[in-house]
Amino acid sequence: MSESPVRLVQAHANHGAAWVNGDLRPVHFPRRIERPLPGDLVHIDDAGTLTAVVERRNLFGRGDGRGRFRPIAANLDRSVIVIASEPAPSRDLLHRYLAAALIRGIEPLIVLNKSDLPRPRQAPFTELQALGELGFEHVEARCLPEPDVAALQSRIGCGITLLAGQSGVGKSSLLNALVPDIEAQTGRLSRVTGKGTHTTTTATAHRHGDDAWLIDTPGVWEYGLWKMDPETLQRGFPEFSKHAAGCRFRDCRHRSEPGCAVVAAVESGALPGFRHQAWLRLLAEQERFGCQGVR
Ligand SMILES: Nc1nc2c(ncn2[C@@H]2O[C@H](COP(=O)(O)OP(=O)(O)OP(=O)(O)O)[C@@H](O)[C@H]2O)c(=O)[nH]1
Ligand SMILES: [Mg+2]
Ligand SMILES: [Zn+2]
């Protein structure tokens, strides 16, 4: 076993790449060890075979269409949720990404990319201020006509940052603007793994200065949550909790139960209605997973 663990940057079915003493090395995954993920700390032997995965701090992923959890990356400090006016996000995309990060113990940061384009007068763009008041911060960025990523750069100087968001919002463009030696890194990685460099097809961790990592992910059209119980889902709506303590029923789902303090807070204007609407839709979606049964 190698003396100190090394950071895994990319994982395919039975092989990947790790950052070893300032260079990228191929890693073989034997079948007896559960496949590691980008962001994992791993031990490898002299032949480059994985021997152990260090226990993870957290694990980020997405639900497949049937509500099963599909892991994407491990040991994240923050999830940068990239949205843009083009392609415009679907109704609950931002709420799902925020919930997923919070549920998994990862700090979310919303990035409004393509700030060179006019900001649409529709949700979620019109909700960003109210989200900020709830503690969900956002920063603006752009990659064209010339990059302006200073606000984002100042937030990601240490730890492991995941770039999440719909296909085409500009995650890889942001990565290119943020990491000065990105071309050298992707070129070396492609030689190590034998995979092409031009489209984002797999989650990949890139070294960002001395002390930080940026994980680019392949975009999705729709980001889905996985099957979970309502208590877990409510961790994705932390602004509800101080009100929920006052609900008449301890297992109140904040729908139409009598004595619901969350609904009362929405009616009095203490909680924004759009968050409650999103909660109701995500709760209904969970019940559909339940009916189908996750096979
Ligand atoms: N106008 C404008 N276009 C941008 C900006 N950033 C990126 N783009 C364009 O958006 C398109 C998609 O950019 P990518 O960086 O490939 O998007 P991505 O999120 O990595 O996409 P996937 O890898 O498919 O998930 C490209 O044509 C970029 O040139 C921006 O700030 N403004
Ligand atoms: Mg990309
Ligand atoms: Zn309630």
Side-chain angles (χ1 to χ4, degrees), residues 99 103 225-226 228-238 278-286:
I103 289 163
L225 290 177
W226 55 95
M228 62 184 83
D229 55 41
E231 291 72 31
T232 306
L233 184 64
Q234 201 179 303
R235 295 216 309 269
F237 291 78
W279 159 259
L280 294 176
R281 289 190 297 268
L282 297 190
L283 193 62
E285 175 181 279
Q286 287 295 328

Side-chain angles (χ1 to χ4, degrees), residues 167-168 170-173 198-201 216-219:
S167 192
K171 298 178 296 299
S172 300
S173 304
H198 292 298
T199 47
T200 318
T201 52
D216 192 13
T217 60

Side-chain angles (χ1 to χ4, degrees), residues 110-162:
I110 303 165
V111 171
L112 180 53
N113 190 33
K114 310 198 185 184
S115 65
D116 54 305
L117 303 178
R119 200 190 279 204
R121 288 201 193 91
Q122 64 189 54
F125 305 98
T126 48
E127 298 165 348
L128 289 175
Q129 191 183 336
L131 284 170
E133 286 160 14
L134 296 175
F136 302 115
E137 279 187 289
H138 80 272
V139 297
E140 291 196 2
R142 65 162 193 259
C143 306
L144 292 174
E146 72 289 323
D148 179 2
V149 293
L152 177 56
Q153 190 76 279
S154 70
R155 309 296 184 94
I156 61 171
C158 62
I160 307 185
T161 301
L162 183 86

Side-chain angles (χ1 to χ4, degrees), residues 17 58 61-62 262:
N58 58 41
R62 57 181 295 214
V262 170

Side-chain angles (χ1 to χ4, degrees), residues 3 6 8 19 28 40 73-74 82 86 113 123 129 133 137 203 217 229 234 240 249 252 255 289:
E3 282 168 20
V6 295
L8 197 81
W19 189 268
H28 170 70
D40 264 328
V82 185
E86 286 175 20
N113 190 33
Q129 191 183 336
E133 286 160 14
E137 279 187 289
T217 60
D229 55 41
Q234 201 179 303
F240 287 11
F249 302 113
C252 185
R255 234 174 330 212
F289 288 147

